[in-house]
């Protein structure tokens, strides 16, 4: 018994070996690094401005960077909430045609953002944040009368908002909020003037201190085939 007791004491006296695991890396992912100069401009604008407008074709990282920033700010407790919204115009059908609550109906529309956040935070942490109300998807149908404070608000696919809708959205913004307006004005599905075009005109004509980051076809980083298709459609004006 004495030998066994002595052996246990020796084991307990050994220093604990500290080492990083993949779970540590998941909890503390490395800061996002820009892949292009325009992505660098986008990240700089997000670091210095309370409102940022980002434009450009698919595959340039507009949504990915917004979702990653949202996940990081929430995980670091630098904001209390992330609010995500987007118009439901592209399918030509109202959300009322789909089953479920309003939040369930709009979920497929915001999947590019929420999937990016889930990958950055981890699925469990993301689900907990949704249940706690720290991540909120807000349909345009119920936005009127709301005030957003101390949060990051992302409007995705903003080219499909009408002028009245984007006016209503921008007047919901309260104190300590950062707003990211994301869209591609060449891809609007509206028959009337895009609200995003109206906002860009107002910012430029009134020289408002709101940075507008404009990606081009040369900034597509999703994949070579993505860039090839986007350029093909653009050159054929389709």
């Amino acid at each position: 018994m004495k030998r066994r007791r002595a052996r246990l004491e020796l084991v307990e006296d050994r220093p604990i070996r500290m080492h990083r695991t993949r779970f540590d890396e998941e909890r503390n992912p490395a800061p996002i690094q820009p892949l292009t100069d325009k992505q660098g401009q986008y990240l700089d604008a997000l670091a210095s401005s309370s409102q940022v407008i980002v434009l450009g074709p698919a595959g340039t990282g507009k949504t990915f960077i917004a979702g990653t920033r949202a996940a990081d700010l929430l995980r670091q407790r630098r904001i209390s909430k992330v609010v995500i919204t987007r118009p439901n115009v592209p399918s030509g059908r109202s959300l009322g045609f789909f089953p479920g609550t309003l939040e369930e109906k709009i979920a497929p529309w915001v999947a590019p953002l929420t999937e990016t956040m889930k990958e950055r935070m981890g699925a469990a942490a993301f689900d907990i944040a949704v249940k706690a109300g720290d991540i909120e998807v807000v349909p345009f149908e119920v936005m009127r009368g709301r005030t957003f404070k101390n949060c990051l608000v992302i409007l995705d696919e903003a080219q499909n908002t009408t002028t009245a809708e984007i006016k209503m959205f921008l007047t919901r913004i309260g104190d300590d909020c950062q707003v990211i307006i994301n869209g591609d004005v060449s891809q609007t599905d509206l028959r009337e003037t895009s609200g995003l075009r109206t906002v860009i005109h107002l910012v430029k004509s009134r020289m408002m201190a709101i940075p507008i980051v404009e990606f081009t076809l040369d900034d597509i980083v999703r994949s070579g085939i993505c860039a090839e298709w986007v350029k093909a459609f653009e050159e054929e004006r389709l």
Side-chain angles (χ1 to χ4, degrees):
M1 289 293 292
K2 289 183 179 179
R3 284 185 181 176
R4 188 177 180 185
R5 193 173 292 131
R7 187 180 177 186
L8 286 172
E9 289 171 356
L10 286 172
V11 170
E12 290 172 356
D13 288 341
R14 292 176 186 168
I16 299 173
R17 183 180 178 182
M18 300 297 292
H19 61 279
R20 292 181 63 81
T21 69
R22 68 182 183 88
F23 299 105
D24 295 320
E25 293 172 0
E26 286 172 4
R27 294 191 193 100
N28 299 289
I32 186 170
Q33 298 297 320
L35 298 178
T36 65
D37 290 340
K38 281 290 172 66
Q39 284 192 356
Q41 292 176 26
Y42 185 12
L43 290 168
D44 289 343
L46 291 174
S48 60
S49 302
S50 60
Q51 295 187 30
V52 177
I53 299 172
V54 56
L55 311 171
T60 52
K62 305 186 306 295
T63 299
F64 175 80
I65 290 176
T68 299
R69 177 171 176 80
D72 286 351
L73 291 179
L74 193 61
R75 181 174 50 81
Q76 296 162 5
R77 295 299 174 190
R78 292 166 59 189
I79 54 174
S80 63
K81 179 182 285 192
V82 173
V83 177
I84 300 170
T85 190
R86 61 162 284 178
N88 60 303
V89 173
S91 72
R93 300 172 66 187
S94 167
L95 289 174
F97 283 89
F98 296 91
T101 64
L102 275 175
E103 291 76 13
E104 291 170 339
K105 291 173 184 179
I106 200 174
W109 300 78
V110 297
L113 272 169
T114 54
E115 289 300 319
T116 296
M117 292 186 66
K118 186 179 295 186
E119 183 177 347
R120 186 72 171 179
M121 299 173 65
F126 178 86
D127 291 341
I128 290 170
V130 170
K131 290 178 182 177
D134 296 338
I135 298 173
E136 187 177 6
V137 177
V138 181
F140 267 89
E141 283 89 336
V142 297
M143 191 178 294
R144 190 174 299 278
R146 296 283 301 270
T147 300
F148 301 121
K149 298 180 180 179
N150 188 26
C151 60
L152 173 63
V153 187
I154 303 172
L155 170 57
D156 200 25
E157 301 290 347
Q159 75 274 5
N160 285 325
T161 57
T162 64
T163 299
E165 286 175 334
I166 206 164
K167 176 184 176 182
M168 184 265 293
F169 167 79
L170 289 170
T171 54
R172 301 304 97 209
I173 308 304
D175 296 327
D176 300 318
C177 270
Q178 183 172 45
V179 180
I180 301 174
I181 299 175
N182 175 349
D184 180 0
V185 288
S186 70
Q187 294 295 318
T188 181
D189 295 285
L190 297 175
R191 295 180 181 178
E192 57 188 287
T193 302
S194 167
L196 180 58
R197 285 189 182 276
T198 301
V199 165
I200 293 168
H201 168 72
L202 289 173
V203 169
K204 291 182 175 180
S205 64
R206 301 175 71 89
M207 293 184 289
M208 300 171 71
I210 299 174
I212 300 175
V213 181
E214 299 187 56
F215 287 99
T216 68
L217 297 177
D218 294 330
D219 296 306
I220 297 173
V221 296
R222 179 173 293 159
S223 66
I225 192 65
C226 174
E228 208 171 327
W229 275 115
V230 173
K231 290 177 181 177
F233 279 104
E234 186 74 16
E235 289 170 1
E236 296 295 328
R237 300 183 181 277
L238 298 173

